């Protein structure tokens, strides 16, 4: 039910944040889903106003709620616009590097880091993270 409210265009971003934060506090078992949903709403509807800052804020909160989940990191990376560099590459790289130490699926996250660096022309870093991902893949087999 709360998801419908998040898509209400009559509500301002600060009102959505207030409602989402309250919902997560009152119902901790819904916190991860609430933060992921808020992030996707802000990514889709407010990205032109705040350059994805609110989406990133809630992907970070979702990641803190369930540290072993890879999805908040992948979704954050997917909202990157390389031509405009929003959200800024350094934000995403920092966030994804933190995630590598937390998530169960490190290989997928390392591949995404490699892809981000490759999009921005840093082949050395792209190769480094791809090799780390490949090493994890070999060690799992």
């Amino acid at each position: 039910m709360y998801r419908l409210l998040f898509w209400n265009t009559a509500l301002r971003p600060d009102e959505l944040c207030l409602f989402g934060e309250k919902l997560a506090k009152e119902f901790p078992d819904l916190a991860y889903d609430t933060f992921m949903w808020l992030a996707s709403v802000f990514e889709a509807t407010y990205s032109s106003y705040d350059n994805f800052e609110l989406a990133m804020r809630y992907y970070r909160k979702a990641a803190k709620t369930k540290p072993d989940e890879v999805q908040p990191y992948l979704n954050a990376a997917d909202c990157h616009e390389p031509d405009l560099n929003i959200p800024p590459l350094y934000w995403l790289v920092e966030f994804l590097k933190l995630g590598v130490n937390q998530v169960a699926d490190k290989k997928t996250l390392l591949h995404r880091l490699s892809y981000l660096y490759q999009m921005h022309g840093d082949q050395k870093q792209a190769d480094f993270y791809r090799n780390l991902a490949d090493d994890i893949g070999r060690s799992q087999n």
Side-chain angles (χ1 to χ4, degrees):
M1 188 71 159
Y2 66 89
R3 291 179 182 182
L4 292 174
L5 181 62
F6 288 157
W7 287 107
N8 184 340
T9 56
L11 296 175
R12 296 186 322 260
D14 59 329
E15 292 169 322
L16 290 174
C17 292
L18 182 65
F19 176 70
E21 296 283 344
K22 179 72 170 166
L23 184 65
K25 184 178 179 183
E26 295 295 322
F27 302 98
D29 56 320
L30 293 177
Y32 176 79
D33 291 332
T34 300
F35 294 146
M36 288 294 287
W37 198 260
L38 271 173
S40 66
V41 167
F42 289 134
E43 182 181 340
T45 58
Y46 294 101
S47 59
S48 61
Y49 302 111
D50 73 359
N51 294 331
F52 297 98
E53 288 178 25
L54 287 171
M56 287 297 298
R57 178 191 311 169
Y58 285 100
Y59 284 132
R60 285 181 182 274
K61 285 181 178 262
K64 281 185 181 180
T65 304
K66 285 192 177 180
D68 60 330
E69 286 291 327
V70 73
Q71 206 57 53
Y73 301 98
L74 298 179
N75 287 12
D78 286 346
C79 76
H80 182 61
E81 173 50 57
D83 293 334
L84 300 174
N85 194 33
I86 50 176
L89 178 66
Y90 69 90
W91 280 12
L92 290 172
V93 166
E94 172 197 323
F95 183 49
L96 270 62
K97 284 180 180 178
L98 289 172
V100 168
N101 296 321
Q102 305 289 323
V103 300
D105 186 3
K106 294 177 186 338
K107 182 179 175 182
T108 300
L109 208 47
L110 290 167
H111 274 295
R112 191 60 57 95
L113 271 165
S114 174
Y115 178 70
L116 285 171
Y117 277 118
Q118 187 173 4
M119 275 196 309
H120 284 273
D122 190 340
Q123 196 58 46
K124 184 177 177 180
Q125 289 293 325
D127 291 342
F128 174 77
Y129 285 103
R130 186 172 33 267
N131 289 336
L132 281 178
D134 292 345
D135 289 346
I136 287 174
R138 281 190 287 275
S139 70
Q140 290 175 346
N141 293 332

